[in-house]
Amino acid sequence: MPLTSAPTDAPASDCLVLFGVTGDLAKKKLFPAVYRLHCRWLLEVPIIGLARDDWSEDQLHRHARESIEEAGEKFDEKQFAALMKKFTYVQGDYSDPACFGRLKAAVGDAQHPIFHLAIPPSMFATVAGGLAAVGLNKGSRLIVEKPFGRDLASALELNSTLHEFFDEEAIFRIDHFLGKEAMRSLLITRFANAILEPLWRRAYVESVKITMAESFGVEDRGAFYDSVGALRDEKAKVLQAARPVDPKHFVRGQYKGYRDVPGVAADSDTETYGAFRLDFDSPRWGGVPFFIRAGKSMATTVTEMTIEFAAPPRPLWISDESHLPPNRIRIEAKPDSFTALTWLRKSPGDQMLAEPITLAPPPELRGDIGPEPYELLIEEAMAGDPTLFAREDSIEESWRIVEPILTDYPPVVEYERGSWGPPGGRLLARGHGYWPEEPPA
């Protein structure tokens, strides 16, 4: 059955090539995603795994089995055996032209192969050029993993290099966050509800707050993380109308013990926590601050967005409500996937007191009920649908926004592991403190 998930006239990919198939990303994400697509009859094409390791196909099959079982998938021996029959392994060094000759032979008669680059970004140009040298860039697609550069200059250089060999329509920059159920549900919440749609504008919204927190540290990825940091690892996405971030609205933190991680410099100033404020120049959002924070070794692991609405004028006969939360919509993407709405109602009793009440699905109805992010994104890329992928212009805009704070930034402030970030700092939303602050329940 061909891929038909997207309303597009683009030809479906007829061969899937996984660069870096023996690596960590392939084991944790790609093999489980490919297995799920296969079990749904959405991957009726040859699959080629390519890496430098001198593996036999039996080694690759064992690696795939371990990956799928460790991901907690319901394992079916017949389905797995059928999937492995589609697999071919090609060994080679990406800088060796002969590697791409072997790959071309393995691709065979496929007219629209798709290449997933689960490899370091430093190898993107080498691989793109190698594919072009044997004609595999014609009629094909490229799936590129984060990070998309380290700053605006490197992002421009990367895009320019890729465009030497692939048109923009053929490049799919993958971000698994955009494939989450909660992010797709946001489109329905935002545009399909008549009672909410008129309220998503500056006249009614007080602030927008985005948290990307992880309870764990950098663990065994110290050397990699020390060269990247929280800011470069978690960037705002669609920022066309945003002003460049003012360094005075940037807070940096580092959890205690980070410098003791193997691979981290003893005097490292790399942030493991970053929070900044965005301001927009647009008729809809001008004057509404957007706050974004990301951190490791936080109190919990959560990815969520909260839209806080401005308080209406209060009738004189309502008692002081300064302690009450504002009306808000909270969209959680991780660990669960759901949307909650908080508003005020009269508290039971004879006094005119207000209390908050939250409407949210019960725990058993939370969570991702659709495809897993990588499963969906590979499916959509193979169908040629770019909706859930980052475009060249949005990537470059994102780097433009944060460019000032890549070079002009305050020193990191230590914070306790298991906390909500460095103490003492504060980013303000029209008088309401945002940081540090626990996300609403």
Side-chain angles (χ1 to χ4, degrees), residues 79-95:
Q79 290 279 21
F80 179 73
L83 174 63
M84 290 300 101
K85 286 182 180 180
K86 301 175 183 177
F87 256 98
T88 301
Y89 183 64
V90 175
Q91 185 275 334
D93 189 315
Y94 305 143
S95 60

Side-chain angles (χ1 to χ4, degrees), residues 151-173:
D151 51 27
L152 179 57
S154 61
L156 288 167
E157 182 181 2
L158 175 60
N159 284 332
S160 176
T161 300
L162 293 178
H163 288 157
E164 289 182 28
F165 311 108
F166 290 85
D167 293 334
E168 175 63 21
E169 306 83 62
I171 302 172
F172 290 73
R173 299 170 184 83

